[in-house]
Amino acid sequence: MKENNRGLGLFTLLVYIFLLGPLVIIAFASFEPGTVLKFPPQGFSLKWYQKIFEVEMFMSTFKTSIVVSILRNLFALLLGVPAAYALSRFDFKGKDALNGFFISPVLIPGIVLGFTMLKYLIVTYHLPLYTALLVGHTVIMLPFIIRVIASSLSNFDFAIEEAALSLGAGRLGTFFKVVLPNIKSGIIAAILIAFLESFNNVDISVFMTGPGISTLPIQMLTYVENYFDPTIAAISVLLMLFTAVFMFLIERLMGLSYFTKR
């Protein structure tokens, strides 16, 4: 029994090393004082972190990623909240098929989905790049919005809603005054998760960007094609911290148990 526990512990350690090892290497390499990315670093310097804020293309694409992610989040919420409510509140024919349709964007490989959107949104329907980018990311954010809010609604007692309706409140007023306030933590968590998915997305964005329109992850790919200095490692560390803060907020709002249900 002890040998099995040791074997399991060793296997778990190897998995952690496999998952976290590259992140640790990138973190240390970002402090390399030289002009070439190296591990282990030959010294300690923060100049590559300073360079991030001096390079205009990083700052402009960061702003674009933030603004576009907020807009996409708004569109996804307008579609996702009513959809999650309907799927959780009512039983109707085709409910499972509709739920599968909403979740399908996370099941389709991103490259396939991105190429399909390029073919139809841009090539066939000639949508502007910015509009196509908004549509594409709204589609990939929608499953996260619906899944998280539906999980939150699964803990909501709809008898409260029925009580409000029986006392004369309208259905729309009940939704905004009774239902939404009781699932606000789920809505905030859904917003954060969808924002991260959109902000860090590459496989869809690479097809939806072009001259004059780019996101930070795509700009990082373009930069690394031409330069091999530790700037990208420094940006990666900041993005890891950015993601860690968001995940901490999500855990504080909902807890991991919400994402293991249903």
Side-chain angles (χ1 to χ4, degrees), residues 5-83:
N5 290 337
R6 289 176 182 175
L8 180 60
L10 178 61
F11 178 76
T12 303
L13 178 61
L14 292 175
V15 170
Y16 273 106
I17 292 174
F18 176 78
L19 294 175
L20 299 179
L23 304 182
V24 173
I25 291 173
I26 290 173
F28 278 103
S30 67
F31 299 109
E32 166 62 39
T35 57
V36 178
L37 189 65
K38 295 179 183 178
F39 181 82
Q42 305 302 306
F44 180 86
S45 175
L46 295 175
K47 68 178 182 179
W48 302 111
Y49 288 90
Q50 180 181 352
K51 183 180 178 180
I52 295 171
F53 301 97
E54 296 173 350
V55 178
E56 175 59 27
M57 60 183 177
F58 289 141
M59 300 308 298
S60 61
T61 54
F62 174 77
K63 293 175 183 177
T64 300
S65 293
I66 292 290
V67 172
V68 174
S69 293
I70 292 173
L71 290 175
R72 290 175 289 209
N73 224 323
L74 177 61
F75 296 149
L77 277 174
L78 292 175
L79 296 172
V81 173

Side-chain angles (χ1 to χ4, degrees), residues 80-158:
V81 173
Y85 175 77
L87 291 170
S88 300
R89 181 70 175 88
F90 305 109
D91 289 321
F92 51 88
K93 187 177 181 180
K95 176 179 175 179
D96 291 337
L98 184 61
N99 186 54
F101 172 77
F102 283 131
I103 302 300
S104 61
V106 299
L107 304 178
I108 302 172
I111 295 295
V112 175
L113 190 60
F115 179 76
T116 303
M117 290 182 178
L118 170 67
K119 185 178 186 307
Y120 288 100
L121 295 181
I122 296 177
V123 176
T124 303
Y125 296 106
H126 305 290
L127 289 181
L129 283 176
Y130 199 87
T131 304
L133 187 64
L134 286 174
V135 173
H137 278 251
T138 300
V139 169
I140 63 171
M141 294 168 78
L142 197 56
F144 297 94
I145 295 286
I146 292 176
R147 181 65 184 263
V148 175
I149 293 178
S151 296
S152 185
L153 283 168
S154 67
N155 288 335
F156 175 71
D157 186 358
F158 286 102

